[in-house]
């Protein structure tokens, strides 16, 4: 009995050894792309878009005959929305699993932790969902940004407000890396161009009751309300403004107001609300319409900017690998630094540090249940309906 | 003698791990050692002294932020910064402990939970120092070995201190407070002082570990530095292993990570529920933890042997007391 | 601009409306504590469960939340009864910490079940929106509705405790369990009903909160701390104290958010909790007991 | 030795202790008797600092100890036991004995603890958890434990209640032995014959104040005492 057990172990060990030595020689060995995604925890809901975009990209690449003549596969772990776990998993992906390419996780904090690991092993990481300019001020080389830099998130609002002769502006922003950069950038620009900033406050993630803050902003008589916020807070800021009978002439509710769920939650109250978006399915970027089509077909839902940004980021990654012609990380990094590319997501162009400088946000407005692009002027699909009528005068 | 040899061997073995293990294994061991250390620290105030705290993570976060700020702004070497994190946590624990330890039972538990939430909010609001919700970025850690050694050193120090505590009159005073604080008071034990000493110990080490954590993940933000989950893991480890014992936290910590690897990794969606169920099952069926079960089977020597050893020496007994 | 009396009146109205909800939120917790001398750490999760049941009734069955509320309260009554029967009875009278830890473990399980069943999304029941103008003040309709319902339920509960035989049995058990037994009160049944009632009141509070503020399955932990703050500020075991505590918390939260920052409005509960615990541990109206 | 003057404690409207005044002589066993609710245990609590008085002064060996914390009082050499013994249940008897002792090396302390355990006949139980002891054994352990502090005055709250007569006799003998060595005792108890045989002086409390003091025989015949105990003064 005991002997047989030993034999079994020996066979297994031999098999493992054989697998380890033989398979690289066979040319069909796939290129493994590794990533950790927040499949559980507080970021899990949005993170599924990122994962689905990764899978769609893998399908598309393989349909085109693969990368460098080899098929591509995806290896994904769950970081539980926790940066520490994320760092551990990238360590595992690189050291244990020896993946060929490293793709980013969802969310800035996890990207920050993971990038440290990649930097150590000199592995290029295209992090499609990493925002926050601080990440690219650390002297890292191997982290590539494809998302809109946060300092350019909201700046369009200032032009739109001035066009209508509005005078005062108030800010309420989620206390996060990205918005701590985005908000001061708009506030500075507003002040420079003659708008008076009457209130500027950050609230921690998870805040649900803004009534006191909005009462204060209402008392201060702000014409423009900029809510630097995401999904739940975007809805809440609008709903609670209405409840308190506060009618800003321009209500801008951040990226969170650009998702379909925003309109679904608010119905007619969403009319006239402005939002910023990284991406729109109507954008005339190359391959955009086809991407939207394929995504819908595969997953049965509309892609959002998380999906498009991830896909666009992977397009850039793919272009970098093809340009480098090998999996040598330094060659890929160099290629990624030189590329100036139009992806479905928009322009891709990075600075020396790997931070994005090519991509800008668009500003949209809900008009008749649809999002119309207002800014920048060149891509506008409709005229701004401003100032917004007071709540009391709406049907 | 063999005891000292055993300890030396264990330490040498633990210290030699980085020579053979890769970085992934190291990072797993770092978090194991970190949580074991936190469990030991929690064990002093909650296991020995009986003051169940749901908020020791306050000191972990304070340590993490202190170290991060020192490293970024003053370019202090990280081991010193982590030590400073522990010292500040200990310093802060003096007034906080003096206030909070006036509360007993569930009031202390909930008061500490409230304290940790306030600490998190302060980290959000104190933007000039903490950068608010943006968090602080530290330089990357290129060599995990030093981090590993630091964490293992702290964890080993905690095992050592707990072992000393378990065999000291100070430890007996803490246990007396746990068993009957009023009774201890009436026997001349300065309970306020003893509790405060235990509390400071239970704050210093999480502070140091928080500092090392900040360096290890090279990013600190309010939500992760003051996460209730951190306390939760330590609490479950101690309850499972056996509160108020020398080996309980280690047994609990190791059991928990084994469970996490072999069982829970497969059921990530019910991870929290399994934690909760473990708490309930432990309280109902294993109130004294695994350490006690091991002792009853003779796998583990009973604790607090020092009095028994002394008492075992033959001594002439006189009929009347002094 | 920020020091006008109208504005202060407006803030006071907000505070009082929140207080109505906090009072109901704390009532169930206080009742359970009164009868069993156990702080039910899972109360916030029971509140969340009740809220999500109402949400489910609203979305899946199209029920108005005020119609769904009695059903979810009834379900939670059953849940509370079952928890008392299966779990709490085993730890009552033993180590006081054992009961706290068991409810703590329970809260983790319920959170996880909530995440599995309802998902991690933040949900709300926006059936009413907009506002009324009352004497120059703005009264949001949803908050007004939630406030009035909460007050009605609180009054009904207090009346039940005061004027029904069973209510008297509950109060007797809370005050003198031994005496209650000798007077023929079935203490075990009283406890079962009390735990059920506590959960049902929590479910009602949760459903009403969801009318005005969104929740996710992890919101319970925030709510429990508010409920703690309320009963500790007012005094454990004192219903009148609870109402006072709720008023103090509601107003402090609103004024704190307005004049300091929203970051601190949210922690006002803890600040009050700690202050009262330190200065006057029995609470403002409580009987000295620790 | 101990000098209590005008001690007063109100709980709400109730005057638990109302102007209690008495003195204890060194080296004497004094009994404190009185009907239920007459304020005996509260008086103990006031002396040892467990409860703060509303008025009055407590002096121990000439020193004002009013308002000191229990541990401070204990360290001055004033120990006490409780009506229901308060042992540290999860700790062994020997650990109970040593936990609070500060003076001396550990070896000396353990040595002394073993001698005291021998004195109360509990040597065999030194390593047993306190929670495993019988009620009488707990009373003895608590007595031995307070003696570990080398107190000059010990307040004993009903040391004989719920103890079988043989054991009660044994405890009384131990107390007498200790008294001979100079320890002062103040003993609350209801076992009249035993108390009368043990104490040289008796204090009688009723309605929160000391209504009689003196030798056992005199006190027993005091009409005020009879009234306090039986409701009427019998002829």
């Amino acid at each position: 009995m005991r002997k047989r057990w030993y034999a079994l172990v020996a066979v297994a060990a031999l098999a493992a050894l054989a697998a380890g030595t033989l398979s690289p020689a066979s040319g069909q060995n796939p290129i493994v792309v590794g990533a950790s995604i927040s499949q559980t925890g507080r970021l899990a809901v949005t993170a599924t878009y990122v994962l689905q975009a990764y899978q769609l990209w893998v399908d598309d690449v393989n349909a085109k005959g693969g990368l460098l003549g080899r098929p591509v596969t995806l290896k994904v772990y769950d970081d539980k929305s926790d940066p520490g776990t994320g760092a551990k998993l990238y360590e595992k992906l690189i050291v244990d699993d020896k993946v060929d390419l490293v793709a980013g996780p969802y969310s800035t904090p996890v990207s920050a932790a993971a990038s440290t690991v990649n930097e150590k092993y000199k592995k290029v990481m295209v992090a499609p969902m990493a925002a926050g300019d601080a990440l690219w001020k650390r002297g890292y080389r191997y982290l590539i940004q494809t998302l809109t830099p946060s300092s350019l998130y909201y700046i369009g609002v200032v032009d739109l407000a001035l066009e209508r002769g509005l005078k005062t502006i108030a800010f309420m922003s989620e206390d996060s890396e990205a918005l701590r950069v985005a908000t001061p950038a708009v506030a500075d620009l507003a002040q420079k161009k003659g708008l008076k900033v009457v209130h500027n406050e950050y609230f921690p993630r998870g805040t649900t009751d803004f009534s006191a803050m909005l009462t204060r902003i209402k008392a201060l008589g702000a014409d423009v309300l900029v809510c630097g916020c995401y999904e739940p807070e975007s809805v809440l800021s609008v709903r609670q403004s209405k409840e308190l009978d506060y009618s800003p002439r321009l209500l801008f509710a951040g990226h969170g107001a650009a998702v379909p769920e925003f309109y679904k939650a608010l119905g007619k109250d969403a009319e006239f609300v402005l939002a910023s978006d990284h991406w729109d399915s109507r954008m005339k970027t190359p391959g955009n319409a086809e991407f939207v089509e394929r995504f819908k077909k595969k997953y049965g839902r509309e892609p959002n900017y998380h999906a498009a940004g991830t896909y666009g980021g992977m397009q850039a990654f793919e272009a970098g690998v093809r340009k480098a012609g090998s999996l040598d990380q330094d060659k890929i990094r160099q290629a990624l630094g030189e590329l100036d590319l139009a992806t479905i997501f928009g322009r891709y162009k990075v600075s020396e540090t790997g931070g994005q400088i090519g991509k800008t946000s668009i500003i949209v407005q809900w008009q008749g249940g649809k999002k119309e692009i207002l800014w920048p002027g060149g891509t506008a699909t409709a005229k701004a309906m401003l100032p917004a009528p007071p709540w009391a005068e709406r049907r | 003698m063999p005891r000292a040899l055993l300890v030396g061997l264990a330490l040498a073995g633990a210290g030699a791990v980085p020579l053979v293990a890769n970085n992934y294994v190291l990072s797993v061991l770092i978090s194991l050692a970190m949580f074991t250390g936190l469990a030991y620290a929690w064990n002093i105030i909650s296991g020995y002294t009986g003051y169940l705290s749901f908020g020791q993570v306050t000191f972990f976060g304070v340590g993490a932020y202190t170290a991060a700020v020192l490293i970024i702004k003053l370019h202090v070497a990280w081991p010193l910064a982590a030590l400073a994190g522990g010292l500040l946590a200990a310093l802060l624990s003096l007034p906080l402990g003096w206030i909070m330890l006036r509360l007993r039972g569930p009031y202390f538990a909930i008061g500490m939970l409230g304290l940790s939430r306030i600490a998190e909010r302060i980290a959000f609001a104190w933007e000039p120092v903490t950068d608010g919700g943006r968090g602080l970025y530290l330089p990357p850690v290129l060599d995990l070995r030093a981090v590993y050694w630091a964490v293992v050193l702290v964890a080993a120090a905690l095992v050592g201190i707990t072992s000393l505590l378990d065999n000291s009159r100070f430890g007996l005073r803490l246990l007396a407070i746990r068993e009957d604080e009023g009774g201890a008071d009436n026997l001349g034990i300065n309970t306020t002082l003893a509790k405060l000493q235990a509390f400071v110990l239970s704050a210093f080490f999480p502070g140091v570990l928080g500092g090392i954590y900040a360096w290890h993940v090279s990013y600190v933000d309010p939500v992760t530095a003051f996460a209730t989950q951190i306390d939760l893991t330590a609490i479950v480890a101690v309850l499972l292993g056996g509160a108020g014992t020398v080996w309980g936290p280690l047994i609990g910590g190791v059991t928990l990570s084994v469970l996490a690897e072999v069982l829970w990794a497969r059921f990530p969606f019910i991870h929290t529920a399994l934690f909760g169920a473990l708490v309930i099952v432990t309280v109902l069926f294993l109130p004294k933890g695994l350490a006690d079960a091991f002792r009853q089977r003779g796998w583990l020597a009973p604790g607090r042997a020092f009095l028994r050893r002394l008492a075992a020496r033959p001594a002439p007994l006189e009929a009347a007391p002094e | 601009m920020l020091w006008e009396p109208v504005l202060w009146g407006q803030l006071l109205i907000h505070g009082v409306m929140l207080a109505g909800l906090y009072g109901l939120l704390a009532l169930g917790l206080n009742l359970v504590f009164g009868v069993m001398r156990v702080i039910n750490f899972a109360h916030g999760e029971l509140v969340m469960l009740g809220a999500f049941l109402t949400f489910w009734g609203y979305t899946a069955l199209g029920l108005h939340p005020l119609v769904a509320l009695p059903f979810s309260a009834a379900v939670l009554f059953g849940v509370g009864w079952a928890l008392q029967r299966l779990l709490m009875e085993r730890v009552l009278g033993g180590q006081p910490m054992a009961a706290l830890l068991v409810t703590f473990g329970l809260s983790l399980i319920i959170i996880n079940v909530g995440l599995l069943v309802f998902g991690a999304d933040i949900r709300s029941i926006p059936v009413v929106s907009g506002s009324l103008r009352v004497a120059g003040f703005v009264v949001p309709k949803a908050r007004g509705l939630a406030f009035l319902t909460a007050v009605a339920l609180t009054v009904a509960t207090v009346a039940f405790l005061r004027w029904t035989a069973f209510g008297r049995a509950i109060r007797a058990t809370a005050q003198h369990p031994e005496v209650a037994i000798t007077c023929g009160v079935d203490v075990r049944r009283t406890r079962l009903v009390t735990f059920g009632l506590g959960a049902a009141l929590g479910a009602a509070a949760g459903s009403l909160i969801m009318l005005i503020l969104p929740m996710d399955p992890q919101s319970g932990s925030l709510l429990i701390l508010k409920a703690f703050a309320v009963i500790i500020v007012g005094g454990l075991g004192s219903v009148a104290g609870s109402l006072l505590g709720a008023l103090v918390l509601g107003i402090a939260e609103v004024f704190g958010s307005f004049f300091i920052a929203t970051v601190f409005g949210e922690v006002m509960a803890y600040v009050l909790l700690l202050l009262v615990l330190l200065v006057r541990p029995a609470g403002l109206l409580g009987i000295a007991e620790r | 030795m101990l000098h209590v003057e005008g001690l007063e404690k109100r709980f709400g409207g109730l005057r638990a202790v109302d102007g209690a005044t008495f003195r204890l002589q060194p080296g004497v066993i004094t009994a404190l008797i009185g009907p239920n609710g007459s304020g005996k245990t509260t008086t103990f609590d006031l002396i040892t600092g467990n409860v703060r008085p509303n008025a009055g002064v407590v002096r121990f060996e000439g020193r004002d100890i009013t308002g000191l914390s229990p541990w401070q009082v204990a360290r001055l050499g004033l120990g006490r036991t409780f009506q229901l013994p308060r042992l540290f249940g999860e700790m062994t008897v020997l650990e109970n004995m040593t936990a609070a002792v500060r003076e001396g090396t550990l070896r000396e302390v353990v040595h002394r603890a073993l001698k005291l355990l021998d004195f109360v006949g509990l040597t065999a139980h030194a390593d047993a958890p306190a929670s495993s002891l019988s009620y009488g054994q707990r009373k003895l352990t608590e007595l031995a434990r307070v003696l570990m502090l080398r107190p000059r005055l010990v307040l004993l709250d009903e040391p004989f209640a719920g103890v079988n007569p043989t054991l009660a006799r044994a405890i009384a003998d131990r107390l007498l032995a200790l008294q001979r060595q100079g320890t002062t005792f103040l003993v609350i108890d209801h076992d009249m014959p035993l108390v009368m045989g043990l104490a040289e002086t008796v204090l009688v409390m009723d309605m929160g104040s000391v209504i009689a003091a003196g030798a056992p025989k005199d006190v027993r015949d005091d009409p005020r005492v009879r009234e306090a105990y039986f409701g009427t003064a019998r002829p």
Side-chain angles (χ1 to χ4, degrees), chain A residues 91 120-121 175 177 180, chain B residues 22-23 127 133-134 142 218:
Chain A
E91 197 84 55
K120 183 169 61 186
Y121 296 107
D175 194 346
E177 158 73 46
R180 284 263 184 189
Chain B
N22 66 26
N23 268 343
E127 212 233 327
R134 196 176 348 174
L142 299 178
S218 61

Side-chain angles (χ1 to χ4, degrees), chain B residues 32-48 56 154-163 165-166 198 201-203 205-206 209 233-235 237-238 241-242 244-254:
Chain B
L32 172 61
M34 176 139 331
F35 279 110
T36 307
L38 288 170
Y40 269 99
W42 189 82
N43 189 34
I44 295 174
I45 186 66
S46 301
Y48 278 92
Q56 289 309 104
V154 175
L158 272 161
V159 179
I161 286 173
T162 307
S163 172
L165 184 75
D166 200 58
L201 275 178
S202 290
F205 288 100
L209 289 169
T233 314
I235 293 173
V238 175
T245 62
V246 178
W247 298 110
L250 185 64
I251 295 169
V254 171

